[in-house]
């Protein structure tokens, strides 16, 4: 069956038949032209896509480092600190009491007044004390006169001894002359014997006078002893009279007045109390016996007062009570805090925290690799942390952490073995193997191996932006 094609050309209608050789050639040329045009249009996007694909694959091959999240190791508390409440007290309180009997004439201070050590703050009636002092002084004067009289007697006795010594010398000389004359027959025997008797009598009188001197000297010593005793009584009377002045025994603040002027006070009666607030003391009564192992004498503590919410105080433990409450099993603990400005008074509410004596590096548990995979880590077969390969408290106390090393500006990871401590709140203590300030991998999207190049993510901590250690 033959078909004819009709077309208009130059205002004339031309009829073509497929049987015509000319029309067949034209038809074939038209079909080929359309095919070539179609192939050229399809090949251009394909070549562009291939070029883009080659550029993209080249970029991936140049940046094949695994992206990791990095954190900075720092020391901090594994668990939130327990907070205890307590009350503030003066570091010490001294009670001023009367030492003598008398009526309180004046009290120059009131509650809240500051006093200095040695300041006179009151006066008792000292009339009777003054009378007793004068009597003691008069008795002392009498004792001193006795000493003077005794010394005069000693002087007189010594003078008598000297006189009798001369008499003895004269009597002995006379006796010797009488004996010489007796031998010559110039005098009678009776006269010679009488001269000897007078010499012996003078010698005995000299001995008696010498003993008298000793006696008078002993009397002087006894009188001097009475003077010394009376001087002590006078000093005591003066001291008792000084007790009529009420003197502050310490520097501090008057915290309580027990009596008022006009009242009669007896020895030992309390007059007022003085508190030393140069330092303040906080008494924490509700410390559990289970927490005692974490508290030591001299340990640093953190104290805040509700009265001064914007100020923190650093104190220390000064006393741990040896006796606990047998019912509640609570142990009182005393803490000392500075009070240089003197604003801390007694009875303020204090909040006390006992931080541990030593803080350790704490990191998320997601950064820990199991120790049994250490050999695999070094060979490059470590999988990223997951709940299935995290350690539990009953597992090994060792683990592995990937530490960041920036060598020649290219971050790499190094597998490092660490010793693990306690765990809490998805965190773990590092006892050894990781130091504060070192950068470590928290998580990665692909397996890591020792020495592998990594790419630090934008959410990672930078050393200059890492917060300071607690």
């Amino acid at each position: 069956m033959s078909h004819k094609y009709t077309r208009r050309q130059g205002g004339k209608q031309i009829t073509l038949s497929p049987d015509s050789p000319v029309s067949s050639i034209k038809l074939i040329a038209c079909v080929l032209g359309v095919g070539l045009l179609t192939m050229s249009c399809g090949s251009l996007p394909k070549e562009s896509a291939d070029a883009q694909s080659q550029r993209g694959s080249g970029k991936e091959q140049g940046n094949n480092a695994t992206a990791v999240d990095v954190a900075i190791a720092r020391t901090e508390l594994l668990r939130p600190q327990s907070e205890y409440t307590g009350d503030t007290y003066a570091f010490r309180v001294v009670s001023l009491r009367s030492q003598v009997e008398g009526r309180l004439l004046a009290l120059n201070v009131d509650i809240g007044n500051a006093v200095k050590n040695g300041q006179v703050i009151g006066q008792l009636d000292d009339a009777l004390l003054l009378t007793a002092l004068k009597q003691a002084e008069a008795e002392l004067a009498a004792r001193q006169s006795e000493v003077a009289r005794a010394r005069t007697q000693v002087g007189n006795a010594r003078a008598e001894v000297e006189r009798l010594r001369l008499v003895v010398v004269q009597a002995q000389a006379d006796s010797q002359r009488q004996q010489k004359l007796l031998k010559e027959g110039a005098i009678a025997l009776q006269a010679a014997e009488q001269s000897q008797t007078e010499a012996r009598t003078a010698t005995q009188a000299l001995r008696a006078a010498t003993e008298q001197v000793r006696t008078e000297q002993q009397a002087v010593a006894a009188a001097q002893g009475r003077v010394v005793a009376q001087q002590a009584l006078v000093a005591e009377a003066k001291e008792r009279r000084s007790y009529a002045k009420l003197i502050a025994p310490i520097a501090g603040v008057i915290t309580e007045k027990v009596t008022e002027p006009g009242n009669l006070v007896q020895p030992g009666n309390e007059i007022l109390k003085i508190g030393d607030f140069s330092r303040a003391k906080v008494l924490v009564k509700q410390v559990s016996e289970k927490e005692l192992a974490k508290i030591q004498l001299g340990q640093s503590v953190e104290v805040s007062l509700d009265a001064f919410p914007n100020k923190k105080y650093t104190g220390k433990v000064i006393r741990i009570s040896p006796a606990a409450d047998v019912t509640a099993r609570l142990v009182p603990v005393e803490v000392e805090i500075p009070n240089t400005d003197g604003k801390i008074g007694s009875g303020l509410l204090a909040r006390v925290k006992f931080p541990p004596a030593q803080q350790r590096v704490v990191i998320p548990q997601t950064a820990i690799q199991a120790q049994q995979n250490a050999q695999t880590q070094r060979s490059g077969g470590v999988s990223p942390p997951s709940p299935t390969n995290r350690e539990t408290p009953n597992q090994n106390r060792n683990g592995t952490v990937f530490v960041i090393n920036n060598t020649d500006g290219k971050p790499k990871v190094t597998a490092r073995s660490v010793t693990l401590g306690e765990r809490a709140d998805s965190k773990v203590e590092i006892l050894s193997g990781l130091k504060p300030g070192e950068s470590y991998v928290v998580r990665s999207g692909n397996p890591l191996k020792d020495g592998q190049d990594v790419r630090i993510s934008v959410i990672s901590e930078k050393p200059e932006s890492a917060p300071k250690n607690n």
Side-chain angles (χ1 to χ4, degrees):
M1 179 178 181
S2 63
H3 298 279
K4 295 182 179 180
Y5 299 93
T6 303
R7 66 172 182 167
R8 185 176 296 276
Q9 182 176 1
K12 296 180 179 181
Q13 186 173 1
I14 300 174
T15 301
L16 297 177
S17 175
D19 299 333
S20 175
V22 177
S23 61
S24 299
I25 294 172
K26 290 183 178 181
L27 180 60
I28 294 171
C30 183
V31 172
L32 290 175
V34 172
L36 290 174
L37 180 62
T38 303
M39 292 177 62
S40 63
C41 292
S43 63
L44 180 60
K46 183 177 179 180
E47 291 174 357
S48 176
D50 292 340
Q52 291 180 1
S53 177
Q54 291 176 1
R55 287 196 299 267
S57 62
K59 184 177 180 180
E60 291 178 358
Q61 291 176 359
N63 191 17
N64 59 358
T66 301
V68 294
D69 295 339
V70 177
I72 308 300
R74 65 180 62 85
T75 58
E76 61 183 47
L77 297 176
L78 183 63
R79 300 180 180 87
Q81 299 182 38
S82 300
E83 185 177 83
Y84 301 89
T85 58
D87 301 317
T88 61
Y89 295 89
F91 183 73
R92 57 174 175 166
V93 178
V94 176
S95 178
L96 180 62
R97 299 177 180 270
S98 174
Q99 295 178 275
V100 293
E101 180 182 358
R103 190 174 301 278
L104 182 60
L105 299 180
L107 201 55
N108 306 325
V109 294
D110 203 347
I111 296 177
N113 293 150
V115 296
K116 298 180 180 180
N117 186 13
Q119 177 181 341
V120 178
I121 59 179
Q123 178 68 46
L124 296 175
D125 185 6
D126 63 347
L128 297 178
L129 299 175
L130 180 59
T131 300
L133 173 60
K134 290 182 177 180
Q135 289 178 350
E137 291 176 342
E139 186 67 22
L140 176 60
R143 299 301 183 189
Q144 290 174 342
S145 66
E146 289 181 0
V147 173
R149 286 195 300 270
R151 287 176 176 173
T152 301
Q153 294 296 333
V154 170
N156 293 336
R158 287 177 177 174
E160 181 66 17
V161 167
E162 292 299 327
R163 187 186 68 80
L164 291 175
R165 184 177 289 111
L166 294 177
V167 171
V168 168
V169 171
Q170 184 63 40
Q172 290 176 349
D174 291 344
S175 176
Q176 290 176 358
R177 284 194 301 268
Q178 293 294 333
Q179 291 296 327
K180 186 176 181 181
L181 292 175
L182 178 60
K183 290 179 181 179
E184 294 176 352
I187 60 172
L189 177 60
Q190 183 178 0
E193 292 177 350
Q194 185 178 358
S195 63
Q196 289 180 348
T197 300
E198 292 176 354
R200 294 191 188 99
T201 302
T203 301
Q204 292 177 355
L206 177 60
R207 294 195 187 99
T210 303
E211 291 296 331
Q212 184 63 29
V213 170
R214 295 194 184 97
T215 302
E216 295 298 338
Q217 288 177 338
Q218 293 174 356
V220 169
Q224 289 176 336
R226 290 191 291 272
V227 167
V228 172
Q230 191 61 33
Q231 286 175 340
L233 294 177
V234 171
E236 180 183 353
K238 289 181 178 180
E239 183 70 16
R240 289 178 62 81
R241 188 193 176 193
S242 69
Y243 293 159
K245 292 182 178 181
L246 302 178
I247 299 176
I250 62 171
V253 178
I254 305 300
T255 59
E256 183 179 353
K257 285 175 60 178
V258 180
T259 186
E260 295 291 342
N263 290 332
L264 180 66
V265 295
Q266 299 292 335
N269 286 162
E270 187 177 33
I271 298 176
L272 49 81
K273 292 181 179 180
I274 303 175
D276 179 9
F277 286 95
S278 60
R279 293 167 288 176
K281 184 169 59 177
V282 178
L283 179 59
V284 182
K285 299 181 180 179
Q286 74 279 17
V287 178
S288 171
E289 61 180 2
K290 297 181 180 179
E291 299 293 329
L292 281 183
K294 303 178 182 178
I295 302 176
Q296 300 176 356
L297 288 176
Q299 177 180 342
S300 178
V301 299
E302 298 176 2
V303 181
S304 61
L305 303 177
D306 287 4
F308 310 105
N310 297 327
K311 189 171 183 180
K312 302 295 182 181
Y313 299 87
T314 301
K316 63 178 181 179
V317 178
I318 59 174
R319 184 176 294 106
I320 301 175
S321 176
D325 186 285
V326 295
T327 303
R329 306 301 180 187
L330 301 178
V331 181
V333 176
E334 293 184 8
V335 174
E336 174 189 329
I337 58 177
N339 189 21
T340 54
D341 52 6
K343 293 183 178 180
I344 302 177
S346 180
L348 302 181
L349 179 63
R351 303 183 185 275
V352 182
K353 293 182 179 180
F354 298 93
Q358 181 181 6
Q359 294 186 6
R360 302 185 183 276
V361 173
V362 176
I363 65 175
Q365 292 192 33
T366 56
I368 301 298
Q369 301 290 334
Q371 183 67 19
Q372 59 265 28
N373 295 334
Q375 185 65 30
T376 310
Q377 293 169 358
R378 292 182 174 83
S379 61
V382 180
S383 60
S386 63
T388 58
N389 62 7
R390 293 176 192 168
E391 295 183 11
T392 64
N394 296 327
Q395 286 180 331
N396 200 323
R397 305 293 286 184
N398 295 326
T400 300
V401 174
F402 284 107
V403 180
I404 299 295
N405 292 324
N406 286 315
T407 304
D408 298 332
K410 297 180 179 179
K412 296 183 179 181
V413 292
T414 301
R416 184 182 297 178
S417 177
V418 294
T419 303
L420 308 180
E422 296 183 2
R423 294 174 171 83
D425 299 332
S426 299
K427 296 182 179 180
V428 60
E429 287 182 336
I430 303 299
L431 304 182
S432 63
L434 187 64
K435 297 180 180 179
E438 291 186 307
S439 300
Y440 64 94
V441 176
V442 178
R443 64 184 63 84
S444 64
N446 296 318
L448 297 177
K449 63 180 179 179
D450 190 18
Q452 178 180 344
D453 293 339
V454 294
R455 177 168 51 86
I456 299 177
S457 66
V458 295
I459 64 173
S460 299
E461 285 186 292
K462 303 299 187 297
E464 60 273 12
S465 64
K468 296 181 180 179
N469 293 340
N470 294 336

